[in-house]
Amino acid sequence: MSPGWRLYLFKEQREFSELLTKVRLSYGVTGLAIAGAIVFLSCLLHLYIHRPVREIINSLRSGNLPDYKGTEELEYLSTTIKETLESLRKETRLLDNIYHVAITRRGEEFFDEVVFTINRLFGLNSLIAKLSPDGEYADAVSLFINGELKKGIRIPLKGTPCEDVIKKKHMCVMERGSHREFPEAMLLTSTKAESFIGIAIFNRKGETVGIMNAFGGAREFTEVDIKAFQTIGQIVGIEFERIQEEQEKDRIREQLFQAQKMEAIGILAGGIAHDFNNMLQAILGYASLLKMNTPEDSPSYNALDVIEKTSLRAAELVKQLLGFARKGKYVVELLNLNDLVMDVYKIISRTFDRTIEIKLDLDEKGLLIEGDRSQLTSVILNICINARDAMPEGGTLTIKTFKRMVQPGEIIHPDARPGIYAALSIIDTGIGMDEETMRHIF
């Protein structure tokens, strides 16, 4: 169209009004439809979403577990929340039981209560055991099996699931077939156990000190069960270590008590020895004086000689008492340990009963040590005499000298540091001694 041109459309007013009426009607119908749809969707949301969610929330607020049945998705949500809460409640109940045991029991009672608790919570037999030094056995501290509590049973670990647990330091969980998979496992086969769960017990240094396991009928172990079992294992490990520390403290207290007692005895012995020594000197002096003034062919001469020699032996005894009391001095010199043994052998080979065979197994090159010859000889001789008394019907006494290597971390004596030591072993085949005697032999 050329610039400057305009187009005019002429229509009757009646037709235009009809068009406007139709447009307005369409808008009204559409609005009503939209409003109806909104109301309908709101009803659906309330019926299928808001009301179920409100039902679930109200159950939780009242402390109950939700149990919604209806829409698949919300029913799944309700079931998931219910299972999670049940799991948490179960875990809390388990931990409460464990905590109660941990704060109310100690030592042997604690371990007994733990195996009872495992049986009560899991319905399984249970074992807590200490690992032997060689790692081949476990000594039962508390074993709850077939409704009975047992103790002191030594359990071989070879061919059992615990063998792998200790070597690899991980948990072993079996829900079925445990006694068939491990036919050498005494506890599993005797109870026909299907399920098994076991862990190693560690100390703070990460060293394996024991094992704990539970076994019985087929069952599924949930994550809560496994966590609870691990928690119990940690508490058992803490109790093991606490007992060990208490035993170490008792040992140190006993050593201190013995040291104080020996010091008191030493002071007493020193005082007696000094007084006795003064008396001996007078006896020895007058005996020697009389002996000098008595003819050798006189009957009194032999008696005086006996008095003099006896007094000298008594003086030697006083010297040992003073050395024991640390008021005298030992003669510390370089000695060959084999020579000391031979000195004793010459005595015992002539005086011991012939029913006792004496064997010597001495280091070929000999072992040099520092010490007092008289004291060490006395120690070796006294031990041999004790061995003889332990073999009234005869037997074998073996005396051995050898080199002994003490490895780092090995404890054979509180003062023994790593290195090579001269060692003396005296072994007899006698009746031995009880624990009470052993505590007092030194």
Side-chain angles (χ1 to χ4, degrees):
M1 184 179 295
S2 300
W5 288 80
R6 296 182 178 178
L7 180 63
Y8 293 93
L9 179 63
F10 294 95
K11 197 170 183 71
E12 291 184 6
Q13 184 177 0
R14 183 177 55 81
E15 294 180 3
F16 186 70
S17 297
E18 290 178 356
L19 179 61
L20 287 176
T21 301
K22 290 180 180 180
V23 169
R24 287 169 181 165
L25 182 61
S26 297
Y27 280 152
V29 172
T30 302
L32 288 174
I34 292 173
I38 291 173
V39 172
F40 181 71
L41 288 175
S42 297
C43 292
L44 289 177
L45 286 173
H46 177 75
L47 180 63
Y48 292 104
I49 296 178
H50 184 267
R51 191 170 69 180
V53 170
R54 175 63 60 182
E55 182 180 333
I56 294 172
I57 291 174
N58 289 336
S59 297
L60 294 174
R61 283 177 176 173
S62 61
N64 299 320
L65 296 176
D67 191 24
Y68 171 77
K69 302 295 181 182
T71 308
E72 182 179 349
E73 290 80 4
L74 292 177
E75 185 175 332
Y76 174 77
L77 176 63
S78 174
T79 303
T80 303
I81 293 174
K82 180 180 179 180
E83 290 175 352
T84 303
L85 289 176
E86 286 178 338
S87 176
L88 288 173
R89 287 183 178 182
K90 183 179 179 181
E91 186 172 358
T92 302
R93 188 167 60 253
L94 288 172
L95 292 176
D96 285 343
N97 277 276
I98 297 165
Y99 177 73
H100 175 74
V101 172
I103 64 173
T104 58
R105 299 288 189 273
R106 284 290 182 271
E108 191 171 316
E109 288 186 358
F110 168 80
F111 297 122
D112 293 346
E113 190 64 30
V114 167
V115 295
F116 289 145
T117 301
I118 292 174
N119 176 261
R120 186 170 62 252
L121 298 178
F122 297 98
L124 299 174
N125 302 306
S126 55
L127 166 72
I128 296 174
K130 283 185 178 180
L131 191 65
S132 64
D134 59 7
E136 298 293 327
Y137 297 89
D139 295 311
V141 177
S142 289
L143 169 62
F144 190 76
I145 183 169
N146 296 331
E148 294 183 9
L149 183 66
K150 299 183 178 181
K151 297 176 179 292
I153 299 175
R154 171 156 281 200
I155 303 165
L157 297 181
K158 186 174 180 59
T160 72
C162 290
E163 183 182 22
D164 202 39
V165 165
I166 291 170
K167 288 180 179 178
K168 297 183 179 180
K169 297 185 176 181
H170 63 66
M171 173 179 276
C172 177
V173 179
M174 301 177 65
E175 296 181 341
R176 285 173 180 80
S178 62
H179 74 279
R180 290 185 291 274
E181 186 167 343
F182 295 95
E184 295 182 32
M186 175 181 67
L187 297 179
L188 300 184
T189 54
S190 65
T191 57
K192 301 296 182 184
E194 292 287 339
S195 63
F196 174 89
I197 180 170
I199 58 174
I201 305 298
F202 306 103
N203 59 19
R204 281 177 291 189
K205 296 179 182 178
E207 300 167 338
T208 305
V209 295
I211 58 171
M212 187 179 77
N213 56 48
F215 50 94
R219 63 163 292 159
E220 293 183 2
F221 291 104
T222 66
E223 187 176 347
V224 174
D225 295 337
I226 292 173
K227 285 182 178 179
F229 203 74
Q230 288 174 327
T231 302
I232 296 172
Q234 292 171 356
I235 296 175
V236 168
I238 293 171
E239 184 64 12
F240 269 158
E241 197 151 25
R242 188 196 67 78
I243 292 174
Q244 184 178 6
E245 289 174 353
E246 284 295 323
Q247 291 173 344
E248 183 65 20
K249 288 178 182 178
D250 290 341
R251 187 184 67 82
I252 293 173
R253 279 195 293 266
E254 181 65 20
Q255 286 183 342
L256 178 60
F257 172 72
Q258 290 293 339
Q260 292 172 338
K261 184 170 68 174
M262 295 305 290
E263 183 180 2
I265 294 174
I267 293 172
L268 177 62
I272 294 173
H274 274 296
D275 293 339
F276 189 51
N277 190 52
N278 293 335
M279 299 175 191
L280 280 176
Q281 293 306 315
I283 295 171
L284 185 59
Y286 282 109
S288 300
L289 181 61
L290 290 171
K291 185 180 176 183
M292 289 173 57
N293 297 323
T294 303
E296 292 186 8
D297 56 353
S298 171
S300 301
Y301 185 86
N302 290 334
L304 291 170
D305 187 58
V306 171
I307 292 173
E308 184 181 41
K309 289 180 179 179
T310 303
S311 298
L312 288 172
R313 285 197 296 269
E316 183 65 26
L317 176 61
V318 169
K319 179 183 175 183
Q320 291 185 13
L321 281 172
L322 288 172
F324 171 73
R326 298 183 181 179
K327 293 181 179 293
K329 292 184 178 179
Y330 293 128
V331 181
V332 179
E333 56 185 328
L334 196 64
L335 303 170
N336 189 318
L337 188 56
N338 288 357
D339 292 342
L340 295 176
V341 172
M342 290 307 301
D343 290 343
V344 173
Y345 177 73
K346 291 174 184 177
I347 299 172
I348 63 177
S349 61
R350 296 171 186 167
T351 58
F352 279 17
D353 194 285
R354 296 304 175 188
T355 58
I356 296 177
E357 181 185 4
I358 303 173
K359 293 183 178 180
L360 298 181
D361 183 7
L362 307 181
D363 187 87
E364 294 180 357
K365 297 181 180 179
L367 301 169
L368 295 179
I369 63 173
E370 287 185 338
D372 182 278
R373 177 180 293 274
S374 175
Q375 295 291 319
L376 290 172
T377 302
S378 178
V379 168
I380 299 171
L381 179 59
N382 281 323
I383 294 176
C384 290
I385 292 172
N386 287 338
R388 178 203 63 188
D389 295 340
M391 297 184 288
E393 304 298 329
T396 302
L397 175 64
T398 304
I399 305 176
K400 180 180 179 181
T401 60
F402 56 97
K403 291 179 181 177
R404 172 72 157 86
M405 170 65 77
V406 177
Q407 303 291 344
E410 184 181 8
I411 300 176
I412 61 173
H413 188 277
D415 298 327
R417 297 179 181 179
I420 300 175
Y421 288 80
L424 171 68
S425 172
I426 302 174
I427 304 171
D428 65 72
T429 58
I431 58 176
M433 62 183 78
D434 56 31
E435 292 186 4
E436 183 65 22
T437 304
M438 288 182 67
R439 283 198 289 268
H440 298 286
I441 57 175
F442 295 111

